[in-house]
Amino acid sequence: MIVKEKITHLQLGFLLFGFIAGFESMFLTESKLMKQDVWIANLFNTAAGLALFWIISFVQRQFPNLNLTEICDKLLGRWFSKVLLCVYLLNNLETISGGFRAVSMFYTTVILPNTSSDYLIFLYAACSTYAVYIGLGTLARTNLVILPFFLLGFLVTCLFIIPEIQTNPFLPQLKSSLPNRLVGSMHLFTFTFSQVITFGFLMSRVENMKKIFPSCAIAILMTNIYLIMISYLTLSSLGFNYVQTSTYPFFSTIQMVKFGEYLERIEVLLVGLWTVLTLVYVAVMQYVFTLVAGHVFGISKMKPFVVAMGLLCFVHTSKSYIRTADHFTYGIKIYPLSSLLPCIAFPVLLLVMTLIKRRREVKSL
């Protein structure tokens, strides 16, 4: 069953950093669209991510003895709450499937071209389901072990990429079109900071709720610094045209790093760490999916339910985004719109209802 142990606010912050940084770093879609203006997307997402996380943490602090699903029932009524939670579950399932498919697509395209994608997806789903089974605390501690290696490898790689810089990636500024700026900013927000609603369902498991926002705000700022660093290193070393046509531009960048004649494949190590962090991303989504689904459907025996949810994620992924073009089209054109209701409108609605409830309580005194 899902172990209900507490985690610290620092563990939650590091989990948020690994959750966002791991998945997004290989694709850099916003850099392809905005090129040297990618800082606009990062600036927008810093503000939007902080605002959204503040909303969720504020709502949680008003009801410290309840988790977010129980808060939804209290504020919105049982049945309307179930409807909105089901909408979130659909979005969550799409995100899980997209994550599994993205990792399997990367491996079957770059590293293991003769391997069945369904086999890889089943392997990832089994690992993610086991992570859900052993609980949030173990998942948070695993993330803490992986992150130092990931950051060290990233920093060393950045130092060795600097000699490969060919162009100034910052100039000229404001050359991307307005539609590309909007799409790029929305894409980055959709795949990174809009998903902080997922962490709202974990806040009740944190020991000191008052420190959640400062810790996670630092994590959001660190994530934006990380994303903007890899974006500009990639643009300056590969060039704008190559980045625009490359499926995995940051992977192409780290392939340029060589340590002498006998240790040239440093990208293999970083890809392994990226894979683990992407599995952390999917495991967190699946963990929350299982929690919310259990609440919505009134499941008391969680052990078989965890396995059933893992199988559901595997089946849904194996039938979704089969072609690469479909995967990227959905991610750029459909997913940013379909996630607006569960990831943005839902938290804002909870904030409004919380403020109304507080106002009524003040008037009744």
Side-chain angles (χ1 to χ4, degrees), residues 119-193:
Y119 172 78
L120 293 175
I121 291 169
F122 180 79
L123 181 63
Y124 302 145
C127 293
S128 180
T129 302
Y130 180 70
V132 174
Y133 178 80
I134 59 179
L136 180 63
T138 304
L139 185 60
R141 289 190 293 271
T142 302
N143 179 70
L144 280 176
V145 172
I146 297 298
L147 270 183
F149 293 100
F150 179 80
L151 292 175
L152 179 62
F154 165 72
L155 291 174
V156 171
T157 304
C158 287
L159 292 176
F160 280 84
I161 290 175
I162 291 175
E164 305 295 334
I165 291 177
Q166 302 293 327
T167 59
N168 185 344
F170 298 98
L171 298 175
Q173 282 290 308
L174 302 178
K175 289 296 182 179
S176 60
S177 64
L178 181 59
N180 281 346
R181 293 179 203 173
L182 294 175
V183 173
S185 299
M186 194 65 190
H187 179 274
L188 182 61
F189 180 72
T190 300
F191 282 90
T192 53
F193 303 105

Side-chain angles (χ1 to χ4, degrees), residues 184-338:
S185 299
M186 194 65 190
H187 179 274
L188 182 61
F189 180 72
T190 300
F191 282 90
T192 53
F193 303 105
S194 71
Q195 291 299 335
V196 297
I197 178 63
T198 299
F199 280 72
F201 293 100
L202 303 178
M203 288 181 181
S204 61
R205 303 289 179 87
V206 178
E207 292 176 349
N208 191 341
M209 290 187 183
K210 294 181 179 180
K211 295 184 178 180
I212 288 178
F213 181 75
S215 297
C216 292
I218 293 173
I220 290 173
L221 293 173
M222 289 176 58
T223 304
N224 271 295
I225 293 172
Y226 164 77
L227 290 175
I228 203 166
M229 284 178 64
I230 64 175
S231 295
Y232 280 108
L233 282 173
T234 301
L235 289 169
S236 60
S237 58
L238 297 181
F240 295 166
N241 293 332
Y242 188 90
V243 169
Q244 195 169 14
T245 58
S246 175
T247 305
Y248 308 105
F250 188 56
F251 178 75
S252 300
T253 301
I254 61 178
Q255 281 184 306
M256 301 169 66
V257 176
K258 294 179 174 60
F259 299 99
E261 297 181 357
Y262 303 102
L263 187 59
E264 297 186 356
R265 302 305 300 273
I266 187 65
E267 74 271 12
V268 175
L269 175 61
L270 289 182
V271 165
L273 294 171
W274 169 79
T275 303
V276 175
L277 284 182
T278 304
L279 284 175
V280 169
Y281 171 90
V282 178
V284 170
M285 296 297 296
Q286 188 175 334
Y287 182 91
V288 173
F289 180 87
T290 305
L291 283 180
V292 176
H295 174 83
V296 170
F297 299 108
I299 305 298
S300 57
K301 296 183 179 179
M302 294 299 293
K303 183 176 180 180
F305 189 65
V306 169
V307 178
M309 292 299 99
L311 290 174
L312 173 63
C313 293
F314 165 71
V315 172
H316 188 272
T317 305
S318 64
K319 302 298 181 182
S320 305
Y321 321 115
I322 296 175
R323 295 185 300 179
T324 304
D326 294 338
H327 183 267
F328 283 100
T329 299
Y330 184 85
I332 294 175
K333 296 183 178 180
I334 301 175
Y335 186 70
L337 297 177
S338 65

